[in-house]
Amino acid sequence: MLRYFIKLLIFLVLFSHNSFAQTKTIDLQEKDTITRKYAYGLRIGVDLSRQVQGFLDDDYSGLELVADYRLNDKWYLAAEVGKEEKTKDENIGNSVLYNYTVSGNYIKLGADYNTYGNWYGMSNLITVGGRVAHSSFSNTVNNFSFYNENRTYAPEGDFVLGSNTPTEYDGLSATWLEFVLGLKHEVFNNVYLGMSVRMAHLLSNKEADNFNNLWIPGFNKVTEDAKWGVGYNYSISYFIPLYKKTKKPKKDSEKEE
């Protein structure tokens, strides 16, 4: 009798297991269940082009710090802060009309959108973006000459020295917008080389009463008949990871969109 019950119990277990296996739905479509983590944080660096320019040109000195902060997959907050000093001559023909020095600070704030689709593990950027920029600076006229038709005082030319006494005009400022195309490439772990080209449009330009702003820190040369300027930078920066976000795979409906 005991053997009969044992055999019956084994039969019932096998029968129930076989029935469950037959009624279980088999999903033949493989689903991606892998979740991936992406680093978010602050990238800070310095513009190398201003350092090179200062090394090659004794009449120029400048420093620009660059930074961006990742908001999501595509958007980054971005900023540049710097200071520049440049001494220039304004010439008419072979004659120096005046020599002046511009010195001041500037700040640029905006955002960049990354158009580059990275593979997992890559974090390169090809960006388009914009900035609102402001500069505060001063102009110092180091010396100037003036036109004189009297050859007794100017036997070798039409210009005579007006003054060698420097005259400073401070409290000057300018505001402009920038359209930015940029590139950043990770050359080592968290170390990036970058470059950008900028098209700037001058919005406001506070000048002295008797001396025009011919060069603006952060904006570069100012032309008389146009409010557009072009700039660039070459940067090296370091990314500081602050936290990570998990990105889940997209659903089929989202992929089709």
Side-chain angles (χ1 to χ4, degrees), residues 10-252:
I10 293 174
F11 173 79
L12 291 175
V13 170
L14 293 175
F15 178 78
S16 62
H17 176 75
N18 184 54
S19 300
F20 176 77
Q22 290 179 357
T23 57
K24 183 180 179 181
T25 302
I26 300 175
D27 189 357
L28 299 178
Q29 185 176 1
E30 185 178 356
K31 295 182 179 180
D32 184 7
T33 59
I34 299 175
T35 58
R36 295 168 175 170
K37 292 186 176 182
Y38 292 86
Y40 286 71
L42 178 67
R43 182 174 17 238
I44 57 175
V46 63
D47 177 18
L48 298 175
S49 65
R50 283 168 170 77
Q51 305 304 306
V52 174
Q53 185 178 352
F55 178 77
L56 298 176
D57 186 356
D58 293 336
D59 293 327
Y60 173 86
S61 65
L63 174 66
E64 179 178 283
L65 303 179
V66 300
D68 64 68
Y69 182 81
R70 186 177 185 180
L71 293 176
N72 54 37
D73 286 349
K74 294 295 185 180
W75 285 100
Y76 294 76
L77 292 177
E80 294 88 29
V81 179
K83 62 180 301 182
E84 291 184 299
E85 180 174 300
K86 187 173 182 65
T87 299
K88 294 192 66 178
D89 289 332
E90 282 297 313
N91 302 326
I92 297 181
N94 295 325
S95 301
V96 178
L97 185 58
Y98 49 84
N99 175 275
Y100 67 97
T101 300
V102 184
S103 180
N105 307 312
Y106 61 90
I107 183 171
K108 304 176 183 182
L109 301 174
D112 289 327
Y113 179 81
N114 183 25
T115 63
Y116 185 74
N118 286 290
W119 292 0
Y120 181 66
M122 297 174 59
S123 54
N124 300 317
L125 293 87
I126 299 176
T127 59
V128 294
R131 306 284 190 275
V132 178
H134 181 80
S135 178
S136 300
F137 56 97
S138 65
N139 273 324
T140 301
V141 180
N142 302 311
N143 58 68
F144 69 92
S145 301
F146 63 90
Y147 183 81
N148 194 328
E149 295 181 349
N150 190 337
R151 297 290 175 166
T152 302
Y153 297 99
E156 298 180 357
D158 297 328
F159 291 86
V160 295
L161 181 64
S163 175
N164 268 329
T165 303
T167 303
E168 183 177 1
Y169 303 95
D170 57 7
L172 309 177
S173 63
T175 303
W176 65 94
L177 297 177
E178 287 186 352
F179 174 72
V180 185
L181 293 175
L183 167 69
K184 288 185 176 72
H185 175 65
E186 188 176 18
V187 291
F188 302 107
N189 187 31
N190 294 333
V191 177
Y192 291 78
L193 288 179
M195 65 171 296
S196 68
V197 178
R198 297 147 185 272
M199 179 69 72
H201 178 67
L202 199 60
L203 298 178
S204 66
N205 185 15
K206 182 181 178 182
E207 300 179 312
D209 293 336
N210 55 351
F211 191 80
N212 295 334
N213 294 332
L214 303 174
W215 195 88
I216 297 173
F219 183 87
N220 294 327
K221 185 178 180 180
V222 181
T223 57
E224 182 178 356
D225 299 326
K227 294 184 177 181
W228 292 93
V230 178
Y232 62 92
N233 74 358
Y234 298 93
S235 64
I236 183 169
S237 56
Y238 183 79
F239 178 69
I240 305 173
L242 300 179
Y243 61 95
K244 290 185 177 182
K245 282 186 178 181
T246 300
K247 183 179 179 181
K248 297 181 179 179
K250 293 183 179 180
K251 298 179 181 179
D252 293 339

